Amino acid sequence: MRDIGELAVRLREFAAERDWEQFHTPKNLAMALSGEVGELVAELQWLTPEESWRVRDDPEAAARIRAELGDVFIYLTRLADLLQVDLLDAAADKLEDSRRRYDPERYRGSARKAP
């Protein structure tokens, strides 16, 4: 499966088969998404920056990270579907906004936030 729209349909079907639509409110999905992001963060939390790069080379750690990323993506996709937000359009719009806000000459190599 390589299409976000197809994933959204499959997630709708998955929820409907289990009568879970009643629980899939924007609030609940946002909270679940936050929890899954927390689980992803927990996998990396106490690692040094160098160690965090090396999780790619550890099959067990890489599998855990992959699973957490999958959970995050699923909840994000389900939430966007319910709120009728096209994630690719939203990301493209956000990237364009960031291009305008963060001039490469002014922000190259800097982690400071734009006003």
Side-chain angles (χ1 to χ4, degrees):
M1 176 177 32
R2 296 281 172 216
D3 180 271
I4 293 175
E6 181 184 346
L7 175 60
V9 168
R10 289 180 61 184
L11 291 170
R12 269 185 244 137
E13 292 169 351
F14 181 87
E17 289 168 352
R18 290 155 181 80
D19 191 27
W20 286 355
E21 298 103 327
Q22 61 186 316
F23 308 117
H24 287 192
T25 65
K27 176 196 75 77
N28 287 355
L29 290 169
M31 291 173 66
L33 175 60
S34 177
E36 294 301 337
V37 169
E39 290 180 20
L40 174 61
V41 169
E43 289 293 332
L44 302 166
Q45 183 172 10
W46 302 113
L47 304 180
T48 66
E50 296 78 20
E51 288 169 334
S52 71
W53 281 110
R54 289 197 297 267
V55 299
R56 298 178 294 192
D57 304 323
D58 176 344
E60 289 180 18
R64 289 192 310 270
I65 297 289
R66 185 176 190 275
E68 296 306 337
L69 286 169
D71 286 338
V72 168
F73 195 67
I74 284 171
Y75 279 117
L76 180 62
T77 301
R78 184 77 174 122
L79 177 60
D81 184 46
L82 287 180
L83 296 177
Q84 299 177 337
V85 172
D86 182 304
L87 284 172
L88 293 176
D89 286 346
D93 291 347
K94 186 63 180 178
L95 179 58
E96 187 55 37
D97 180 57
S98 293
R99 283 185 196 279
R100 284 192 296 274
R101 292 179 64 211
Y102 293 96
D103 174 61
E105 297 303 317
R106 189 167 172 211
Y107 286 94
R108 181 171 282 113
S110 171
R112 68 189 150 101
K113 186 121 173 91

